[in-house]
Amino acid sequence: MRNFTGLLINEWLKLSKKKSFFVAYAILAVVFGIMGYAFYEIQPDGLTSTVDFATGTIMLQAAGQLVPVLAVLAAAGSVTQEYRYGTIKFLLIRAQSRHKILASKYIVMVVYTLTLVLTTAALAVAAGYIVYGGGSGESTWTDFLGNIASLAVYSIVFVTMTFMIGILTKSNGASIGIGIFSMMAGSLLVMLLSRYTITKYLLFANTDLSVYRSDAVPIEGMTLVFSIVILLVYMALFLSVSFAVFKKRDIA
Amino acid sequence: MTTAKITNPSIVLQLDGLTKKIGGKAIVDGLSFDIAKGEVVGLLGPNGAGKTTTMRMIVGLIGMTEGDVRICGQSIRTSFEQAIRHVGGIIENPEFYPYMSGYDNLKQYQRMTAGVTDARIAEVTKLVGMQDALGKKVKAYSLGMRQRLGIAQALLHEPKLLILDEPTNGLDPAGIKEMREYLKQIAEAEGIAILVSSHLLSEIELMCSRVIVIQEGKLVTVRSLGEAESTKQKVLSISMQVGNAGQALEVINRMEGIMAAQSDSFTNKITFELQQDQIPGLVASLAAEGVAIYRIEEVRATLEEEFMKLTGGNRIA
């Protein structure tokens, strides 16, 4: 167990020792700074409180979209960078099983994603407080928390998928490309195919759980529980493929 | 696959019918050999002979199709973690996280293995002479420095076996010599067994006590290098440059125990085989007969010549 903690620390250091590590957080800070200023200038209708602002901006359709993109950028590199640097050879000749090494990588990616989500939430509240200073509006803290949870789920699903693509392709660029493309094209695809009921089994129809707060269900008959089950099935599939392939692969 | 018991406890590495097939073609084919404690063994073969594949299989980077690799009696196939803990390795170039310092890189590997202390990190960095450069980022390192850091990471967990694939690649002559000295010192002082591959045959000759030659994935020969026989009794092949070859040949033929004397009257060179302790007597006789001696040389088949013979010269890359 002490050993596994060591692996987690290693993975976290591989992320955080990079100069680009803080860039992701800085981008979020800048974006929320700009949004706060814009809202202060424009004073849009219907937004009257800190909670309104925070709940609205962290949605996937707003600044929240940045979080899965930034998380996917990191997830794509987790395994592929080891190949790029050639360090995979040193990494896999230690007295650690490949499963443990991969598990540490995945867990750190999920933790990193959550730090992005929480940073975003904190920035949204801070910017909202500066602009509105509290106030009362339509949204409640429950709405806000619900949106945070949806953002986290959405991001982790795409991180898991990109993580698997990284293992399969060994290419950072390809993983980023496929990860972000499927994020963009996935919802479009669901829209185009929404008249077929089978579409509801597609991953992309279920990634945004926030739809269940607004009753704008993408396809007739879908429920929150249904989506969660579908997501869990896909996650299990992605992780099984990741671990099976990583375990078997020859490092040539 | 049954795991045979190792009878000799000093055997550190044991290959048993190691085979790798890719698409039906055998890259490594039924390779078996042992390496004992403190031995430095060279793995030779033309390009594509399967050296790197063999080494990658030994450290578990590549799965084996058949056979087994046992390190200190533990199978790399069935008990990977127990087996690999005795192995340190550099497979091809030593690669590190370039954005981290040398120290941070070593810390990474410390955290992966139980029982590696900070004192051990200091010890190995001192051994490879890297203590002053350890705080610098690896991207600022020269190839020689990366090689040394590579040796440091390989020794960190006090392995019983070192697997080194082309450890002198990209080093300058001074670096190569230094590396050779380290490796010999490590093998002698700490009793570590070393399996090393290199395309520099003269290097292998200077470093190793034994060489294993493979070709097309199969074992061609195992050969001990030097030292084994006592030098006094050893039969040497000698070439001598004299003033008059015909006269010298007569003297030599009169002496006992000198074999296969040949002379070349054009170049005045004679070659023959004798035991080392016969040489002073021969020189005295020749001098007494008034034969001028210009040069006495030992004729040795170099590893390279032997290697060419074994593998068919044209296949060497």
Side-chain angles (χ1 to χ4, degrees), chain A residues 7 9-10 13-14 17-18 82 85-87 89-98 250-252, chain B residues 20 56 59-63 80-81 84 89 91 93 95-100 104 108-109 111-112 153:
Chain A
L7 294 183
I9 296 170
N10 276 354
L13 289 175
K14 284 178 204 170
K17 289 254 177 191
K18 277 191 192 155
E82 302 276 2
Y85 294 134
T87 43
K89 293 176 294 183
F90 282 164
L91 187 67
L92 297 184
I93 59 169
R94 309 284 144 183
Q96 299 284 349
S97 72
R98 290 192 184 188
D250 284 349
I251 311 297
Chain B
K20 177 71 180 180
R56 282 172 190 254
V59 296
L61 286 175
I62 293 184
F80 175 77
E81 285 170 66
I84 200 76
I91 304 295
N93 300 322
E95 315 275 11
F96 295 94
Y97 304 102
Y99 53 89
M100 290 190 205
D104 286 337
Q108 285 272 326
Y109 301 118
R111 285 186 209 100
M112 294 188 79
Q153 68 77 32

Side-chain angles (χ1 to χ4, degrees), chain B residues 215 220 301-313 316:
Chain B
Q215 187 174 27
V220 177
T302 63
L303 187 56
E304 185 170 291
E305 285 162 349
E306 205 158 321
F307 180 78
M308 295 284 192
K309 237 191 299 174
L310 289 167
T311 61
I316 295 196

Side-chain angles (χ1 to χ4, degrees), chain A residues 35-101:
Chain A
M35 288 195 42
Y37 182 72
F39 276 62
Y40 174 76
E41 289 287 307
I42 299 163
Q43 297 282 347
D45 296 336
L47 271 170
T48 50
S49 72
T50 300
V51 187
D52 278 352
F53 176 88
T55 308
T57 49
I58 65 162
M59 283 175 67
L60 278 168
Q61 292 74 16
Q65 180 71 66
L66 269 174
V67 173
V69 171
L70 292 171
V72 159
L73 288 179
S78 180
V79 172
T80 60
Q81 300 269 39
E82 302 276 2
Y83 282 99
R84 214 192 84 200
Y85 294 134
T87 43
I88 187 97
K89 293 176 294 183
F90 282 164
L91 187 67
L92 297 184
I93 59 169
R94 309 284 144 183
Q96 299 284 349
S97 72
R98 290 192 184 188
H99 281 161
K100 271 196 213 155
I101 287 168

Side-chain angles (χ1 to χ4, degrees), chain B residues 36-190:
Chain B
K37 194 169 175 259
E39 248 192 319
V40 184
V41 177
L43 186 62
L44 299 180
N47 277 358
K51 297 188 299 282
T52 297
T53 307
T54 302
M55 293 188 134
R56 282 172 190 254
M57 277 194 281
I58 292 171
V59 296
L61 286 175
I62 293 184
M64 51 197 96
T65 315
E66 279 166 44
D68 206 351
V69 171
R70 279 180 292 271
I71 295 150
C72 299
Q74 303 276 3
S75 162
I76 204 89
R77 175 180 235 176
T78 55
S79 34
F80 175 77
E81 285 170 66
Q82 282 75 33
I84 200 76
R85 71 174 70 242
H86 302 297
V87 184
I90 304 180
I91 304 295
E92 288 172 337
N93 300 322
E95 315 275 11
F96 295 94
Y97 304 102
Y99 53 89
M100 290 190 205
S101 69
Y103 181 72
D104 286 337
N105 271 285
L106 290 182
K107 287 291 274 185
Q108 285 272 326
Y109 301 118
Q110 180 196 25
R111 285 186 209 100
M112 294 188 79
T113 318
V116 179
T117 59
D118 288 346
R120 178 65 185 167
I121 293 186
E123 192 185 330
V124 292
T125 46
K126 200 159 167 252
L127 179 72
V128 297
M130 283 292 287
Q131 59 272 49
D132 296 331
L134 215 54
K136 276 196 225 162
K137 293 237 159 72
V138 168
K139 65 181 164 203
Y141 281 14
S142 67
L143 185 56
M145 287 159 90
R146 286 214 299 274
Q147 285 283 15
R148 291 172 192 213
L149 193 62
I151 295 280
Q153 68 77 32
L155 291 173
L156 205 55
H157 48 290
E158 301 178 55
K160 297 203 169 71
L161 173 68
L162 272 186
I163 302 290
L164 305 172
D165 192 4
E166 302 280 357
T168 55
N169 236 0
L171 290 183
D172 58 17
I176 291 175
K177 184 158 181 281
E178 213 171 282
M179 171 77 70
R180 189 171 69 220
E181 298 305 321
Y182 288 149
L183 295 181
K184 277 191 152 174
Q185 186 197 330
I186 291 161
E188 277 167 29
E190 310 201 19

